[in-house]
Amino acid sequence: MRVPYTAFKIKNAPIRQKLIQAFEQVIDSGHYIQGPNCAAFEQEFALFCGSPFASGTSNGTDSLHLILRAMGIGLGDEVITAPNSFIASASTIALVGATPVFVDVTEDLNIDPYKIEQAITSRTKAIIPIHLTGRPAKMLEINNIANKYNLFVLEDAAQSVGAKLKGKRVGSWGDAASFSLHPLKNLHAFGDAGIITTKNANLIERFNISKNHGLKNRDQCDFWSFNCRLDELQAALLRIQLQELEHWTEERRELAFRYNELLKPYVKVPEEGLDEYHVFQTYVVLAENRDELQKFLRDNGVEALVHYPTPIHMQPAAAGLNYKPNDFPVTQQLSKRIMSLPLYPGLTHEQQDLVAELISTFYKK
Amino acid sequence: MIVPYNYLPMQFSNHDAILADWEKLIQSTEFTLGSYVENFEKLFAEFIGSKHVIGTNTGTDALILALKAIGVGPGDEVISVPVTFYATIGAIVAAGAKPVFVDIDDRYQMDVNQIRGAITSKTKAILPVHWGGAAPDMPAIMGIANEHGLKVVEDACMAPGGRIFEKNSGTFGHANAWSMHPLKPLNVMGDGGMVSTDDDELANWMRIYRNHGMVDRDHNRIWGVNMRLQPLQAIVASHILKTVHVTVEERNKNAEILDEGLKALAPFVNVPPRPIGYWETYSLYMAKFHKRDELMKYLNELKIEAKIHYPVPLHLQEAARDLGYKEGDFLNSEIYCKEIMTLPAHQYISRDQLEYMLSSIANFYSTL
Ligand SMILES: Cc1ncc(COP(=O)(O)O)c(C=O)c1O
Ligand SMILES: Cc1ncc(COP(=O)(O)O)c(C=O)c1O
């Protein structure tokens, strides 16, 4: 038996026929750019998140970039984020000309709200908390600080569609939120895609223009901008996937809690905090001798990954920011222990049992 | 009779082969670059005769990627034209540089006689556009660029299948941008684009930058972006690429008929010169028309879907306000915007539809 890190079981999935039908309807319509499916998906997604507005985009990176621009963040500004995320959380800050300022995380892998205030300067304009792995960040505390210092809050919700804090979904907490709909995410297109949510009517208006060349209408260009639209075809497929998301998420959660029971004796398993609804986009354990364990699992047919072995502040791209490895001790420590195990709807109990057995064997040696 | 501008439902009426390939892709889960994208990049490189092709998410991204690759950045000036799609100029600004306009000639292309006058000590590059799919005088532009040590990025977004004598459009400049927007001669079912270049170093940098600056899964050498071509669209593009030459040939036949019919309507209609050796793609079939707005209304009422690309030159757009241009700065461009009109001349337009358009236009002028 093998346990691959991802499994795309479309061939026999009950929704296969619906997806093909949706494909064909879009093809036959001849309307491939910002058509009715994009508009409908945006509405359905906004409703799902409990946010007034949503806007489809080409991917989660472009979303972050264009939201930062729409917020007017640029040269000379600072934006606070966490160093243990996917590179785009920070690279988009650099892309608009601002400086990423990192703040360490806690063991939940999310930004430590109690360390944010120390990092705020007169140049700070925004905070980008990441709901990493599908677990919501400490939004109450973060919003309080943002209010106190008059900062924007941009949720990087790329990994956490559907997650909740106090019953309220991510994407409805900050001034705006960015979601990635890449095929490896819980709600996914069949290629790159993204969507943003916001409660700010001015921001959504600016954003909608900025993702389409700065065009107010076909003939009027208000500002030079980019082409970052969600494909109509992907939107049609996303609408079908969205209908399945809640039961896929439930299946993920059941499997995650089952893993927790099996693995608790050997590794630190991911928790769900009080008032949290964790969607386990990645199932991350903290393991001693992580590299050897990962190799042992791989040698025995289980694909475990590390998200991410090199924190952003230690990437060559970040050299100009002049951070040292130990500037963020928790991040640094965690980067040596984190390991992502295979978890997705369709993963079988037998596969989970095998993973647990291998891990137990490893630690008994 | 309806003369539709949009031909996509016809073009994709038989999509079984594409769907079959999509199923294979979905099983393969190669959604982030991968073999389908690489395969298309190779096919297109062969098609145009370039060493490297780098697939991007859009033509706009391709322009930005090409400009950044050749080193355009803050403080630089890039020379382009006010008669183009917004993205040409948007890309210059996205790269951090300042757009500098020169006027267009009687073929609606960059007027090569004005380039030297626009060069300053800050000029880094020239960005000529293959507007409508007709080529600017690329040999002359390359000559001027070489003289002044400038780089050239061709906006070849409308130019797949076009050429100047034996050399393909989009193979003159140092790094050249293409679009596969649904209404381009090589199109996909959404957005797509690519950059072509013969330069190994530029190609390598672009491959890294378009994918988060990643050199391997765990290392980001530079701050990058996500502007990857979608595998789903790479599959469509690989299929459509086989038809581009035929598409362009059909459009040339249609254009020839329209040219002849419209020339007979001079002085009301002004057809641009078609110099020998310039093989156009007719991404847009355009001519200048007396009383353009009234004519277009008349044609649209007859269900002839004529369009205007575009009614306002870019130096007079709200977005260009900071550049300090004013009305009268680029007269040819301004007249163009008042008189230009695009007629449907795509590969699905029939002889009858062409005749119908010509007789309708003749009718309009006969009542003046
Ligand atoms: C936390 C985070 N932010 C941003 C992104 C970027 O999203 P995308 O891959 O859609 O550009 C991702 C996805 O990889 C992510 O996980
Ligand atoms: C001349 C020109 N440049 C740039 C673009 C932008 O390409 P895309 O729409 O693929 O971003 C287009 C097409 O829309 C174009 O016609």
Side-chain angles (χ1 to χ4, degrees), chain A residues 59-61 64 85-86 88-89 130 156 158-159 180 185 193 308, chain B residues 226:
Chain A
N59 59 62
T61 307
L64 290 169
S85 183
F86 181 69
S89 307
I130 303 117
D156 185 344
Q159 301 191 359
S180 168
K185 308 300 188 206
Y308 302 88
Chain B
N226 177 354

Side-chain angles (χ1 to χ4, degrees), chain B residues 130 132-134 155-163 169-170 178 184-185 281 283:
Chain B
H130 293 254
D155 182 339
C157 285
M158 296 192 177
R163 57 180 191 267
S169 299
W178 308 80
K184 304 291 184 244
T281 69
S283 195

Side-chain angles (χ1 to χ4, degrees), chain A residues 33 213 226-227 229, chain B residues 57-63 83-89 129-132 155-158 177-182 184 190-193 283-284 310:
Chain A
I33 303 286
H213 303 292
F226 297 79
N227 176 356
R229 303 174 297 228
Chain B
N57 190 40
T58 67
T60 305
D61 281 349
L63 283 162
V83 168
T84 179
F85 186 68
Y86 313 94
T88 314
I89 307 308
V129 182
H130 293 254
W131 185 236
D155 182 339
C157 285
M158 296 192 177
W178 308 80
S179 166
M180 298 194 285
H181 180 279
K184 304 291 184 244
D191 277 308
S283 195
L284 305 173
Y310 289 92

Side-chain angles (χ1 to χ4, degrees), chain A residues 178-229:
Chain A
S178 160
F179 293 83
S180 168
L181 305 169
H182 182 275
L184 293 176
K185 308 300 188 206
N186 288 7
L187 172 65
H188 65 85
F190 292 81
D192 278 304
I195 192 162
I196 73 143
T197 55
T198 178
K199 50 187 169 227
N200 183 326
N202 293 330
L203 192 124
I204 198 75
E205 197 190 330
R206 174 109 186 151
F207 188 91
N208 282 334
I209 293 177
S210 71
K211 75 174 179 186
N212 189 29
H213 303 292
L215 288 174
K216 175 106 180 171
N217 57 51
R218 182 179 176 278
D219 300 330
Q220 185 186 332
C221 183
D222 279 358
F223 52 93
W224 307 117
S225 195
F226 297 79
N227 176 356
C228 302
R229 303 174 297 228

